């Protein structure tokens, strides 16, 4: 909830200009989204077409490649299924991890360099259970080492098979509804959920003696990042954004040093993804979001893409217009955040003053979702990078290293912790644990430990203030006093600590900066120098007491 996030930030002491709060659905940001979409469309970078997408059968929406989380299935199965040959004895055996999708097969493919199947290329196989004729084709995509070296081609339900089908002009047979239930193309298996369809298909193949074998097989399965449902590859008409023309300048901006990643190894992660980038499916079939600014004329069918709502069709002057029902991927509007919040597309004073910004602080899990897209959008729309440095802060996990989630019940609400341990303890704990390149393992016991440190600061400060009063009679200079060894030592340690903290903060090494402060204040100042100063405060002459009071106040003020 937005208001709760703001409350947490305020409680943590974030010094933001709260009058500048923005929401991506605000009128100004919405206008920027429409303007950006139309500009891309007019430049030929946005297109609409039938393509293989990632589809969530539960959320009923398309997912971009990076919204699909791949999880290992070490105990999966690989079936070897016999496909009878037409007009001759024998079989060609294919290997598959999804036997239910064979109902959508339109070919069998082998590698052109595989001598085992050379005599079968150009002949026909018979699809078991449905008796559909399938051409046996050659394609370099087939790995001769996988399974039997013969691959069933199901172009409507596998992205690689789809590309094979495009190269060979194969038909597309979709066997699933939007809910991943088999449709009329599945013949007698219509109306079955995916797992039940698999069970029935395998049982019938075994009954016919067409299963040659089954073995354990480890592979990864794509799941929806929202609900963990297994993603179903699906042919669908969607809106796409051509990424390569945008990715090129964004790669150069980092390579040339106009944008710096901290820690630097994250730049390689950025490069690897950007240089292998694919077109982005930007349309979503959900009820919430920026509706795509495209209209269709019911009379002549013209597609109209414009910033402002059209009243009539420019082609036939008809008023019978229907706006596209799909909405934009939420990351599309988020990509515009560095400049849409400053008034773009207008040439505002805020845009001229604040853009580009200096530092983006974010987690590595959204380098592709957000960071890369902000860089591409900023260069394309404004002509400059959106920020100069990207600090990749660690992710916060629980004390066992598990990602925090409501389902696990291991989430720590900052407001709860602040109520129990205080803001300072939480802030310093996070800072103390923030080591570049490593996740923060956060548990309440660690925060409680830093609460003790905060109490130490409180008690030490009270001791100093009790002894120095308002401090108006105190001015400190090394020339004013004959400093003892312990006085010179603490001042030297203070100087070294200040230099260390400044150096580490400049490198965004918050952990080492915090450790330097912790070690100095607790280990040197409190446990050693304050104890030494008590002799001068209580048993020394007035000059010695004044010296001790002055140094105590000076150190405290410098630490602030």
């Amino acid at each position: 909830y937005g208001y709760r996030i703001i409350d947490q930030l305020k409680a943590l002491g974030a010094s933001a200009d709260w009058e500048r709060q923005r929401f991506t659905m605000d009128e100004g940001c919405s206008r920027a989204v429409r303007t950006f979409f139309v500009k891309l469309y007019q430049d030929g970078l946005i297109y609409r077409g039938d393509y293989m997408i990632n589809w969530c059968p539960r959320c009923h929406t398309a997912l971009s490649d990076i919204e699909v989380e791949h999880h290992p299935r070490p105990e999966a199965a690989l079936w070897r299924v016999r496909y009878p040959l037409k007009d001759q004895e024998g079989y060609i055996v294919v290997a598959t991890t999804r036997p239910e999708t064979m109902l959508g097969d339109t070919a069998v493919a082998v590698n052109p360099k595989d001598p085992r199947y050379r005599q079968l290329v150009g002949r026909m196989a018979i699809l078991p259970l449905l008796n559909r004729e399938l051409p046996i084709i050659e394609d370099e995509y087939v790995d001769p080492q996988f399974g039997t070296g013969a691959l069933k081609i199901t172009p409507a339900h596998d992205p690689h098979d789809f590309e094979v089908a495009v190269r060979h002009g194969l038909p597309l047979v979709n066997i699933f509804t939007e809910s991943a239930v088999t449709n009329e193309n599945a013949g007698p298996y219509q109306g079955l959920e995916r797992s039940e369809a698999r069970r029935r298909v395998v049982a019938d193949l075994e009954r016919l003696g067409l299963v040659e074998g089954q073995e354990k097989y480890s592979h990864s399965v794509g799941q929806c990042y929202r609900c963990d449902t297994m993603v179903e590859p699906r042919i669908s008409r969607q809106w796409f954004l051509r990424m390569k023309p945008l990715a090129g300048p964004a790669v150069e901006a980092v390579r040339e040093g106009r944008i710096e990643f901290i820690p630097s190894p994250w730049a390689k992660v950025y490069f690897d993804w950007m240089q292998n980038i694919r077109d982005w499916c930007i349309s979503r079939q959900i009820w919430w979001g920026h509706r795509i600014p495209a209209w269709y004329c019911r009379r002549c069918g013209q597609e109209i893409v414009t910033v402002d709502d059209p009243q009539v069709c420019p082609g036939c002057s008809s008023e019978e217009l229907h706006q596209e029902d799909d909405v934009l991927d939420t990351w599309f509007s988020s990509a515009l955040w560095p400049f849409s919040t400053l008034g773009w597309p207008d040439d505002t004073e805020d845009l001229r003053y604040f853009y580009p910004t200096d530092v983006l602080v974010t987690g590595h899990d959204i380098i592709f979702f957000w960071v890369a897209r902000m860089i591409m959008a900023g260069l394309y729309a404004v002509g400059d990078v959106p920020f100069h440095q990207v600090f990749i802060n660690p992710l916060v996990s629980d004390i066992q290293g598990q990602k925090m989630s409501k389902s696990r019940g291991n989430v720590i609400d900052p407001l709860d912790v602040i109520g129990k341990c205080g803001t300072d303890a939480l802030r310093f704990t996070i800072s103390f644990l923030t080591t570049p390149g490593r996740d923060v393992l956060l548990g309440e016991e660690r925060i409680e430990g830093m609460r003790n440190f905060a109490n130490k600061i409180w008690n030490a400060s009270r001791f100093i203030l009790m002894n120095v009063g308002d401090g108006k009679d105190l001015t400190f200079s090394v020339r004013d006093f004959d400093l003892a060894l312990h006085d010179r030592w603490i001042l030297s340690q203070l100087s070294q600590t200040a230099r260390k903290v400044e150096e580490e903060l400049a490198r965004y090494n918050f952990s080492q900066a915090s450790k330097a402060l912790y070690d100095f204040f607790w280990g040197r100042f409190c446990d050693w120098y304050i104890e030494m100063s008590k002799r001068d405060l209580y048993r020394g002459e007035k000059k010695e007491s004044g010296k001790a009071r002055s140094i105590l106040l000076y150190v405290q003020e410098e630490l602030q």
Side-chain angles (χ1 to χ4, degrees):
Y1 297 96
Y3 73 88
R4 188 166 180 82
I5 295 171
I6 297 299
D7 289 346
Q8 290 171 340
L9 289 171
K10 288 181 177 179
L12 284 165
S15 56
D17 184 350
W18 301 111
E19 293 183 358
R20 293 180 179 272
Q21 286 186 49
R22 296 290 186 273
F23 176 49
T24 52
M25 297 294 287
D26 288 345
E27 183 178 348
C29 292
S30 296
R31 180 166 167 264
V33 168
R34 280 196 170 194
T35 303
F36 189 66
F37 183 96
V38 172
K39 176 176 170 61
L40 290 165
Y41 181 85
Q42 292 174 344
D43 287 347
L45 295 176
I46 283 181
Y47 63 96
R48 188 167 177 250
D50 294 323
Y51 200 71
M52 179 67 67
I53 60 164
N54 305 298
W55 180 264
C56 176
R58 182 181 179 277
C59 298
H60 277 205
T61 187
L63 303 171
S64 68
D65 289 344
I66 54 177
E67 289 175 317
V68 177
E69 297 179 344
H70 293 273
H71 297 276
R73 292 281 181 89
E75 297 298 320
L78 182 71
W79 285 268
R80 297 172 186 264
V81 182
R82 294 174 175 176
Y83 282 35
L85 299 172
K86 182 184 178 184
D87 299 330
Q88 69 179 88
E89 296 273 335
Y91 305 90
I92 184 169
V93 181
V94 303
T96 179
T97 58
R98 299 194 66 193
E100 70 279 9
T101 63
M102 67 184 292
L103 303 172
D105 286 0
T106 58
V108 174
V110 298
N111 191 288
K113 297 179 182 178
D114 192 336
R116 293 175 294 175
Y117 302 109
R118 194 164 294 148
Q119 75 280 8
L120 296 180
V121 174
R123 301 199 177 200
M124 304 295 285
I126 302 298
L127 176 64
L129 307 180
L130 295 185
N131 294 321
R132 183 188 304 142
E133 294 186 3
L134 307 176
I136 300 174
I137 63 174
E138 293 178 313
D139 197 277
E140 293 282 354
Y141 163 68
V142 181
D143 180 4
Q145 304 303 315
F146 173 77
T148 64
L151 190 69
K152 71 185 199 65
I153 302 299
T154 317
H157 298 287
D158 184 279
H160 300 294
D161 290 7
F162 174 77
E163 294 173 1
V164 173
V166 171
R167 288 194 290 269
H168 295 270
L170 300 174
L172 310 179
V173 178
N174 175 32
I175 64 166
F176 289 127
T177 67
E178 292 182 346
S179 300
V181 173
T182 50
N183 60 21
E184 67 279 2
N185 292 327
Y189 303 94
Q190 182 178 354
L192 303 177
E193 190 274 330
R194 288 179 293 185
S195 58
E196 176 61 16
R198 175 179 298 186
R199 190 190 68 78
R200 290 268 299 273
V201 164
V202 170
D204 288 348
L205 289 172
E206 290 177 339
R207 179 175 54 81
L208 296 171
L210 296 177
V211 176
E212 191 169 273
Q214 177 185 339
E215 61 192 64
K216 287 185 179 180
Y217 181 71
S218 177
H219 67 132
S220 294
V221 174
Q223 294 179 195
C224 173
Y225 81 111
R226 292 190 187 99
C227 66
D228 294 331
T229 299
M230 188 177 81
V231 167
E232 186 64 50
R234 179 181 176 85
I235 301 294
S236 178
R237 193 158 184 79
Q238 302 284 341
W239 290 87
F240 293 88
L241 175 58
R242 303 184 198 278
M243 299 302 289
K244 288 191 181 297
L246 301 174
V251 167
E252 290 307 309
V254 177
R255 202 180 300 281
E256 293 168 0
R258 286 183 286 154
I259 297 176
E260 177 189 11
F261 276 83
I262 303 167
S264 58
W266 289 113
K268 183 179 184 304
V269 176
Y270 169 84
F271 287 137
D272 288 345
W273 186 71
M274 293 288 278
Q275 290 165 349
N276 295 284
I277 201 166
R278 298 174 61 181
D279 286 359
W280 176 13
C281 177
I282 57 175
S283 50
R284 296 291 181 272
Q285 295 71 45
I286 52 180
W287 63 273
W288 176 256
H290 291 279
R291 199 168 174 183
I292 291 176
W295 288 259
Y296 309 103
C297 177
R298 288 192 174 96
R299 181 181 297 175
C300 69
Q302 182 169 342
E303 183 178 276
I304 308 156
V305 175
T306 179
V307 175
D308 300 314
D309 292 9
Q311 301 304 311
V312 298
C313 173
C316 68
S317 300
S318 171
E319 296 181 1
E320 297 181 42
L321 304 179
H322 170 69
Q323 187 176 356
E324 171 67 69
D325 291 320
D326 288 357
V327 298
L328 288 163
D329 179 2
T330 185
W331 295 105
F332 186 92
S333 55
S334 298
L336 282 54
W337 191 254
F339 52 88
S340 66
T341 53
L342 300 176
W344 187 92
D346 296 331
D347 183 21
T348 65
E349 182 180 350
D350 279 355
L351 185 64
R352 291 192 298 272
Y353 185 83
F354 290 109
Y355 191 93
T357 61
D358 291 321
V359 183
L360 172 71
V361 181
T362 190
H364 65 77
D365 55 332
I366 54 175
I367 289 177
F368 312 137
F369 282 106
W370 197 36
V371 179
R373 288 168 176 169
M374 281 194 288
I375 296 173
M376 289 185 279
L379 289 167
Y380 176 76
V382 189
D384 200 356
V385 296
F387 29 72
H388 296 298
Q389 291 182 317
V390 180
F391 174 61
I392 304 297
N393 59 252
L395 300 183
V396 179
S397 304
D398 69 12
I399 201 67
Q400 281 79 37
Q402 293 183 319
K403 182 178 179 180
M404 290 189 182
S405 70
K406 291 180 182 178
S407 60
R408 289 197 182 102
N410 61 348
V411 174
I412 296 178
D413 187 331
L415 297 179
D416 293 340
V417 175
I418 288 172
K420 182 179 179 181
C421 298
T423 302
D424 292 332
L426 177 58
R427 284 162 56 109
F428 198 74
T429 302
I430 296 293
S431 177
F432 196 88
L433 298 175
T434 301
T435 302
R438 298 177 61 183
D439 286 353
V440 171
L441 305 184
L442 185 63
E444 289 197 13
E445 60 274 18
R446 289 191 165 182
I447 303 170
E448 290 170 358
M450 288 306 170
R451 181 185 60 186
N452 297 336
F453 180 58
N455 289 339
K456 190 77 171 180
I457 295 173
W458 172 262
N459 291 329
S461 299
R462 285 185 60 199
F463 171 81
I464 294 169
L465 294 174
M466 286 169 53
N467 283 279
V468 304
D470 59 16
K472 291 181 179 179
D473 62 324
L474 301 176
T475 57
F476 174 73
S477 170
V478 292
R479 298 184 182 90
D480 296 338
F481 302 105
D482 181 16
L483 299 179
L485 177 62
H486 61 279
D487 299 322
R488 295 197 304 271
W489 179 80
I490 197 62
L491 294 173
S492 171
Q493 291 294 303
L494 176 64
S495 178
Q496 291 178 34
T497 300
R499 184 167 60 251
K500 172 75 170 175
V501 169
E502 289 177 358
E503 290 172 351
E504 298 298 349
L505 288 179
R507 292 198 289 260
Y508 295 89
N509 198 342
F510 300 108
S511 177
Q512 290 302 313
S514 301
K515 187 175 186 300
L517 287 170
Y518 183 94
D519 290 345
F520 172 81
F521 192 86
W522 196 315
R524 299 181 181 90
F525 186 54
C526 290
D527 287 355
W528 202 85
Y529 183 77
I530 286 180
E531 295 303 316
M532 291 290 293
S533 71
K534 291 177 181 178
R535 180 186 59 185
D536 297 331
L537 285 172
Y538 304 138
R539 297 199 300 271
E541 299 178 357
K542 183 176 181 181
K543 183 178 181 180
E544 291 296 314
S545 175
K547 177 198 67 170
R549 292 167 64 222
S550 296
I551 293 177
L552 287 171
L553 182 61
Y554 173 76
V555 173
Q556 184 189 47
E557 290 179 339
E558 286 296 300
L559 286 173
Q560 291 176 352

